[in-house]
Amino acid sequence: EAGVAQSPRYKIIEKRQSVAFWCNPISGHATLYWYQQILGQGPKLLIQFQNNGVVDDSQLPKDRFSAERLKGVDSTLKIQPAKLEDSAVYLCASSLFAGLSSGANVLTFGAGSRLTVL
Amino acid sequence: DAKTTQPNSMESNEEEPVHLPCNHSTISGTDYIHWYRQLPSQGPEYVIHGLTSNVNNRMASLAIAEDRKSSTLILHRATLRDAAVYYCILREISNFGNEKLTFGTGTRLTIIP
């Protein structure tokens, strides 16, 4: 099966500019996640969608970050305006929701979009 | 968030078994133990998961302590392609009712040829 597709792979912008990242999850996967990974750290969850609804955005800096998942498939993550500390890899992941009791909700990650803010 | 503790780094010789430890003393009864690994310049990939019993798959084995406060990921015969950062994660149910995987900083595994 095709994996999780992300674009662009690399983006360099200046602070206060805006940027958008796109993610196409595995077909049929109901749950989509955006993670932020700063160099040397583990991935940090920004937002989680179940179909096209948000189930957890508690760690999303809502003053500058936004995300949407139209029609429950593709998703975009936007940053506006960008700050230096937003330099990171933005990882998209998807999973076939298997139910809370199964423990088997395996995430498949894309390769990520590396953002450098100058 | 439930916490896990892993060594920052480990080294192993090629073609030898590797035991990657993880402590999770605050684990609750419904938390599953998941392991992911991240190869250089790639997103994390699923390795294995378990609840109480030891688990085996084609990639690795997971040994879970009887009190569930620790676990060990076992790579039976490490190759150079196993060099990666390994994350031990507790799959929790968040306050919002959704599944949540919270990554720590993981263990960087170096394989010595």
Side-chain angles (χ1 to χ4, degrees):
Chain A
E1 64 180 359
V4 175
Q6 290 190 246
S7 67
R9 283 299 311 276
Y10 305 94
K11 188 74 176 178
I12 300 174
I13 62 173
E14 296 192 346
K15 60 184 179 185
R16 291 187 288 273
Q17 287 186 324
S18 63
V19 63
F21 302 111
W22 172 81
C23 173
N24 180 237
I26 292 174
S27 177
H29 278 196
T31 310
L32 185 146
Y33 312 77
W34 282 102
Y35 282 83
Q36 179 193 57
Q37 186 171 26
I38 292 171
L39 188 64
Q41 299 181 17
K44 171 187 153 187
L45 179 67
L46 293 176
I47 189 167
Q48 179 180 345
F49 292 93
Q50 184 75 19
N51 296 309
N52 60 348
V54 176
V55 296
D56 187 348
D57 62 357
S58 57
Q59 298 195 88
L60 186 73
K62 298 180 187 62
D63 58 333
R64 297 182 300 104
F65 286 65
S66 65
E68 61 181 6
R69 190 182 184 197
L70 297 176
K71 301 181 181 178
V73 183
D74 293 6
S75 178
T76 56
L77 176 71
K78 296 179 181 178
I79 307 173
Q80 182 179 7
K83 292 186 174 181
L84 297 177
E85 59 260 36
D86 298 331
S87 294
V89 175
Y90 291 87
L91 294 161
C92 179
S94 69
S95 66
L96 181 65
F97 182 67
L100 296 177
S101 63
S102 77
N105 197 28
V106 173
L107 273 63
T108 302
F109 283 82
S113 295
R114 181 179 297 276
L115 174 65
T116 301
V117 182
L118 303 175
Chain B
D1 295 339
K3 294 290 190 286
T4 62
T5 304
Q6 300 177 253
N8 287 332
S9 62
M10 291 184 62
E11 289 185 349
S12 180
N13 293 320
E14 192 177 10
E15 298 186 4
E16 290 188 356
V18 181
H19 288 67
L20 296 163
C22 181
N23 289 319
H24 28 78
S25 58
T26 60
I27 192 170
S28 74
T30 57
D31 289 343
Y32 282 76
I33 302 158
H34 282 233
W35 284 80
Y36 281 73
R37 71 179 186 180
Q38 188 170 22
L39 282 70
S41 300
Q42 296 187 26
E45 66 172 342
Y46 168 80
V47 177
I48 199 167
H49 78 280
L51 183 62
T52 56
S53 303
N54 295 343
V55 184
N56 300 295
N57 67 20
R58 63 175 182 81
M59 289 182 70
S61 295
L62 177 59
I64 301 172
E66 196 170 334
D67 64 6
R68 302 211 321 126
K69 293 186 177 184
S70 66
S71 61
T72 302
L73 180 71
I74 303 165
L75 306 179
H76 294 287
R77 191 166 168 271
T79 70
L80 295 177
R81 288 175 292 182
D82 292 320
V85 177
Y86 286 78
Y87 296 99
C88 169
I89 304 157
L90 298 184
R91 193 226 65 170
E92 310 169 87
I93 306 302
S94 80
N95 293 334
F96 300 95
N98 59 299
E99 294 183 276
K100 191 171 182 180
L101 294 180
T102 302
F103 286 76
T105 53
T107 297
R108 181 173 298 278
L109 177 65
T110 300
I111 304 299
I112 301 168

